[in-house]
Amino acid sequence: MPRFRSRLLLTASCLLLSSAASQETAPAAPVPVQVPALPPESAPSQPVPSVPVQVAPTESAAADPAPSAAPNSKLRGLWMDAFGPGLKTPEQVQQAVDDAAALGVNALFVQAIRRADCLCRLGSVPPAADIAPNFDPLAQIIKLAHARGIRVLAWYSVTGAWNVTLPSAGKTQVFAQHGPDAGRTSWLARRSDGTWRDNSDAWLDPGIPGAADYMATSALNLVKHYDLDGLQLDRIRYPDGGDWGYSPVTLARYRSETGQKGTPAPGDVHWKTWKRDQVTALTRRIVLESRALKPGLLISAATIVYGDGPADRAAFQNTRTYAEVLQDWPGWMQEGLLDVNVMMNYKRDGVNGQEVWFDHWNAFADSVRLGDEEVAAGTAMYLNAPGVTAAQAARATVQGLGWVGYSYRTPTAGVYSTAQTQPQGFSALQSALTAPGAVLGQPLAWNMAAPVRHGVLGRVVGAVQVGGLRVSAYDAAGTLLATTATDANGYYGFTDLSQAGSGKVEIRALDQRWAQALGTGVTRFPNLLVRAVVRVGSGQ
């Protein structure tokens, strides 16, 4: 987690500290990352968040602006998971890169942090117990892939804490230190009945300050120590089902920040809005800290697209993505948090009309682009025959989207069902995708550059409760540019304040303020020290 040094008193209650960002990683899903969804469950629409998310004051958060005329995405990628062979030894990594190069993909989304264990040696989370001794899979695959002209994005399962099928990474793993028996220091997401296990998994709760700090610093350590082209955030949401977030620490924060009493029901719209804001705030901090550490890094997310795709932003609020797992990725796109949105559009053509659902999600995601960011359809190769995978990839790319297949280890339904070996399935996939006119029929470079932005990252410190405080940005003329809120640890950020021009930007939090000019990329502002916070209802 970031540590701040060089203290300098600004006013009686404003503190300047310069931050040095930190590190860490977490895992991704076992077998398939996202199982194809049943038809979407009914869920009520949500109100506007009680604390404003970073939005320009003249902009409607629910509007559906026309997408920009950005060039079609040339992303053609593979996910490489670590729930089986493929990344564990030097020989496996060499074979994986050779196969990827032969297939003709231009990007690999490599599982770096799996379930709070790292397929690496330089992470702040412990190395996975099932990798070869003294071997760093992430470093090696970066080296080999770059030599073949293939970009590498580290795939980080943000909230993953534990999986019953995986060997323990030891006493320093987060589940060992902050697991179900850790009392008030447990960081696990819990249901309203106190249970924490979600099938084979345990999840961290973004609403717990310590957990949020841990998840952010895990990501930053990867960015700091590896020559990555990008970072992909996976499982940055709450688990399926809707009945999550009931850790005593999370509930106490919610009551303190909102003035709400008692224990909210799972469907309480205020409760769901507050938890969704925690997910977005964690995303924002990871993104801005990563961009500050490595300008030009591509930020991606593997996003949820259960059931049929919505027609517009209003309809999106009724999807399981928004109403159940509390992931507002259209809002992230329009805020500029994502450079590459890779939807986990895991559908089976010819089954209950899922091919239509697939196309609807692709169209919706493209409609909420605002600038030069890209959208890609992630397809479930493990659920389909190679011909279906090729057809889905073709439909996505014709729509102007990129394509990423899940996964190298299970490239066909036959491999997933054990009717084929991995080499047999991969050979069949290669034949389908590299046929004349297919998406990988001709070599294609993916040279996307991260859009140029002028962002701000800062922190409010000193208050007993630093989460949920309003922070506003003004230009030199005193015009309000945008408003956001602090996260569980007091961090706030604005993705792009280019509209401020060359003048100074002033940040205001309660009675504190600080003004300075912005540089290209992310400008770190000094910490603002507030003495006290008085809350009245949901106000401050």
Side-chain angles (χ1 to χ4, degrees):
M1 63 188 76
R3 299 287 185 261
F4 292 81
R5 307 185 183 94
S6 305
R7 302 196 173 188
L8 174 65
L9 188 63
L10 299 179
T11 68
S13 55
C14 183
L15 195 63
L16 171 60
L17 302 124
S18 61
S19 72
S22 240
Q23 62 261 42
E24 232 176 59
T25 12
V31 260
V33 183
Q34 172 193 345
V35 180
L38 298 172
E41 299 175 6
S42 174
S45 298
Q46 302 302 304
V48 176
S50 56
V51 180
V53 183
Q54 174 193 339
V55 180
T58 58
E59 191 174 71
S60 170
D64 281 318
S68 71
N72 291 348
S73 175
K74 294 179 172 60
L75 169 60
R76 307 289 185 265
L78 280 179
W79 273 297
M80 310 196 86
D81 76 272
F83 282 86
L87 297 173
K88 310 298 180 58
T89 68
E91 295 77 18
Q92 289 178 11
V93 168
Q94 182 69 61
Q95 185 65 56
V97 174
D98 288 347
D99 286 345
L103 184 62
V105 295
N106 51 35
L108 296 177
F109 293 79
V110 178
Q111 190 148 48
I113 300 182
R114 188 173 50 180
R115 292 291 181 274
D117 56 346
C118 195
L119 278 293
C120 69
R121 295 286 172 184
L122 300 178
S124 54
V125 297
D130 52 351
I131 60 177
N134 303 314
F135 177 55
D136 191 323
L138 183 58
Q140 184 68 2
I141 204 165
I142 291 171
K143 176 183 176 181
L144 296 178
H146 283 177
R148 309 291 282 271
I150 300 172
R151 301 176 98 171
V152 176
L153 292 86
W155 161 21
Y156 167 30
S157 182
V158 180
T159 54
W162 171 86
N163 181 275
V164 70
T165 68
L166 297 175
S168 170
K171 295 181 179 180
T172 60
Q173 195 167 11
V174 69
F175 188 78
Q177 296 186 337
H178 299 282
D181 301 323
R184 291 286 296 182
T185 64
S186 173
W187 291 348
L188 299 187
R190 295 179 183 269
R191 297 182 182 87
S192 55
D193 64 2
T195 57
W196 55 269
R197 186 162 167 170
D198 176 39
N199 296 317
S200 298
D201 281 312
W203 297 61
L204 298 174
D205 189 336
I208 298 175
D213 214 36
Y214 167 86
M215 289 183 274
T217 58
S218 297
L220 299 177
N221 191 260
L222 288 180
V223 174
K224 183 177 181 179
H225 290 294
Y226 289 92
D227 184 21
L228 295 169
D229 299 289
L231 175 70
Q232 183 175 72
L233 307 177
D234 182 27
R235 289 198 169 205
I236 189 154
R237 59 183 179 94
Y238 277 90
D240 293 353
D243 184 23
W244 293 93
Y246 288 91
S247 159
V249 176
T250 305
L251 285 170
R253 272 197 65 216
Y254 170 68
R255 294 172 186 135
S256 175
E257 292 181 15
T258 66
Q260 299 291 318
K261 307 295 183 182
T263 299
D268 184 300
V269 294
H270 298 290
W271 172 231
K272 291 166 70 173
T273 295
W274 184 87
K275 288 188 293 180
R276 191 181 302 108
D277 288 347
Q278 307 316 302
V279 175
T280 294
L282 174 60
T283 304
R284 185 181 296 118
R285 180 183 168 194
I286 292 175
V287 170
L288 292 175
E289 292 266 25
S290 297
R291 287 175 178 164
L293 269 178
K294 188 173 183 179
L297 185 78
L298 294 173
I299 301 294
S300 174
T303 55
I304 296 295
V305 291
Y306 291 151
D308 195 1
D312 52 32
R313 287 290 299 278
F316 176 76
Q317 293 188 359
N318 293 314
T319 65
R320 292 178 60 196
T321 306
Y322 185 86
E324 180 182 320
V325 303
L326 309 178
Q327 186 183 78
D328 183 18
W329 58 255
W332 301 351
M333 290 182 67
Q334 297 199 342
E335 189 180 331
L337 293 174
L338 300 184
D339 301 315
V340 187
N341 175 20
V342 184
M343 296 173 292
M344 293 184 287
N345 204 352
Y346 295 174
K347 308 295 189 290
R348 293 168 288 181
D349 283 9
V351 178
N352 300 326
Q354 289 184 27
E355 65 276 9
V356 177
W357 299 357
F358 178 86
D359 295 339
H360 285 171
W361 275 113
N362 290 344
F364 172 71
D366 189 54
S367 76
V368 296
R369 283 192 307 106
L370 281 184
D372 295 330
E373 66 273 12
E374 294 188 7
V375 175
T379 67
M381 301 191 305
Y382 72 95
L383 291 176
N384 292 296
V388 174
T389 291
Q392 290 183 339
R395 297 207 309 276
T397 55
V398 165
Q399 286 181 276
L401 278 63
W403 170 80
V404 182
Y406 186 88
S407 72
Y408 168 75
R409 183 175 62 88
T410 52
T412 68
V415 175
Y416 186 61
S417 68
T418 71
Q420 287 179 307
T421 65
Q422 194 277 345
Q424 289 172 337
F426 196 83
S427 177
L429 176 74
Q430 184 173 344
S431 296
L433 290 176
T434 59
V439 293
L440 298 178
Q442 295 289 334
L444 191 63
W446 183 47
N447 297 318
M448 179 191 183
V452 176
R453 301 183 178 93
H454 298 80
V456 168
L457 175 66
R459 190 179 187 186
V460 174
V461 298
V464 175
Q465 184 82 56
V466 294
L469 302 179
R470 290 188 184 88
V471 180
S472 300
Y474 293 81
D475 66 15
T479 302
L480 177 65
L481 300 174
T483 301
T484 188
T486 55
D487 71 3
N489 295 290
Y491 289 94
Y492 68 88
F494 299 96
T495 309
D496 193 5
L497 296 177
S498 297
Q499 67 268 43
S502 59
K504 290 185 177 181
V505 167
E506 183 176 84
I507 298 299
R508 302 179 188 177
L510 298 178
D511 62 339
Q512 298 306 315
R513 57 186 65 191
W514 179 261
Q516 69 183 72
L518 302 186
T520 300
V522 177
T523 300
R524 291 182 181 273
F525 271 50
N527 286 8
L528 297 177
L529 175 64
V530 296
R531 297 298 187 188
V533 176
V534 178
R535 300 181 186 274
V536 180
S538 61
Q540 297 163 18

